[in-house]
């Protein structure tokens, strides 16, 4: 295990970024043997994502595990982590024609939406593992909702649905209403 792994664990976002790089490499590698080698690594990473980070009880993704994926170090289920899973899996479904990634993106959206969508005010709360009324969800972060918007845009490309389109439109309205400095038009 790398030296940083003992202290920080292996964050799900780091694994997703590594999977994304593998997807790009698969897409752009001309050598068939090399592409198969990279695909085997990608498949192993996919397995680690599902077995090491996904909570079988609710289908949501945890923040961090041990380097080998065998132990949970941070069980928080932040909305932004779910958005990263949706974003990266939707993109990988398109890049490498991975139906597992498409299915996982759709399933993760359903979990994120049911636990994190703020039906009263629009947008998404910070933690899907806590009630929307919890103090940790009292303030919605711009970054979280922008990542959710990006994830939904990617998902709509590979698995179009009326609900994803509706949530994406809602997020765009929320972001336009609350994330722009009126005098300049720049984002906060």
């Amino acid at each position: 295990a790398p030296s940083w792994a003992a202290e920080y664990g292996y964050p799900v976002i780091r694994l997703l970024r590594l999977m994304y790089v593998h997807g790009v490499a698969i897409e752009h590698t001309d050598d068939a043997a090399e592409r198969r080698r990279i695909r085997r690594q990608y498949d192993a990473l996919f397995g680690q994502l599902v077995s090491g980070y996904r909570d079988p009880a609710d289908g949501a993704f945890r923040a961090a595990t041990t380097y080998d994926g065998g132990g949970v170090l941070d069980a928080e289920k932040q909305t932004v982590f779910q958005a990263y899973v949706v974003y990266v899996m939707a993109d990988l479904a398109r890049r490498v024609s991975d139906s597992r990634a498409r299915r996982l993106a759709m399933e993760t959206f359903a979990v994120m939406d049911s636990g994190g969508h703020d039906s009263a005010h629009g947008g998404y709360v910070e933690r899907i593992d806590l009630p929307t009324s919890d103090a940790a969800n009292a303030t919605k972060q711009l970054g979280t909702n922008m990542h959710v918007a990006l994830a939904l845009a990617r998902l709509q490309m590979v698995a179009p649905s009326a609900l994803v389109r509706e949530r994406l439109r809602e997020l765009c309205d929320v972001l336009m209403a609350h994330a722009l400095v009126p005098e300049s038009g720049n984002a906060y």
Side-chain angles (χ1 to χ4, degrees):
S3 60
W4 50 263
E7 184 175 348
Y8 301 110
Y10 199 65
V12 68
I13 291 176
R14 182 172 288 146
L15 179 62
L16 289 163
R17 288 176 177 160
L18 186 57
M19 290 181 71
Y20 181 80
V21 168
H22 277 73
V24 171
I26 291 166
E27 183 181 36
H28 293 287
T29 300
D30 292 329
D31 181 86
E34 182 66 5
R35 193 170 39 258
R36 284 191 301 274
R37 185 187 70 76
I38 297 167
R39 183 62 187 239
R40 284 191 301 274
Q41 290 176 343
Y42 166 85
D43 289 339
L45 292 170
F46 191 95
Q48 185 181 0
L49 175 69
V50 173
S51 67
Y53 293 88
R54 193 176 196 195
D55 186 339
D58 62 10
F61 285 84
R62 301 174 183 110
T65 69
T66 56
Y67 184 70
D68 63 3
V72 176
L73 295 176
D74 186 345
E76 282 188 10
K77 296 171 183 167
Q78 294 181 20
T79 302
V80 73
F81 300 148
Q82 314 315 306
Y84 264 90
V85 172
V86 172
Y87 182 98
V88 172
M89 290 299 110
D91 199 65
L92 289 171
R94 182 185 59 79
R95 284 183 184 281
V96 297
S97 300
D98 187 346
S99 62
R100 300 169 307 166
R102 181 180 182 273
R103 187 172 45 256
L104 188 56
M106 293 171 18
E107 291 169 359
T108 305
F109 164 70
V111 169
M112 178 180 72
D113 195 64
S114 68
H117 180 252
D118 182 350
S119 58
H121 305 286
Y124 287 80
V125 297
E126 291 302 302
R127 299 267 306 270
I128 67 165
D129 56 339
L130 300 172
T132 55
S133 60
D134 190 276
N137 286 326
T139 303
K140 289 185 263 180
Q141 301 294 318
L142 172 63
T144 296
N145 282 278
M146 288 182 66
H147 280 92
V148 172
L150 291 169
L152 298 184
R154 291 288 182 180
L155 182 59
Q156 188 68 7
M157 291 169 62
V158 298
S161 84
L163 180 59
V164 171
R165 184 175 38 256
E166 177 186 325
R167 295 293 194 249
L168 185 54
R169 285 184 179 147
E170 174 189 281
L171 267 175
C172 288
D173 290 345
V174 166
L175 291 169
M176 293 295 290
H178 300 288
L180 295 180
V181 178
E183 299 79 23
S184 67
N186 293 320
Y188 285 105

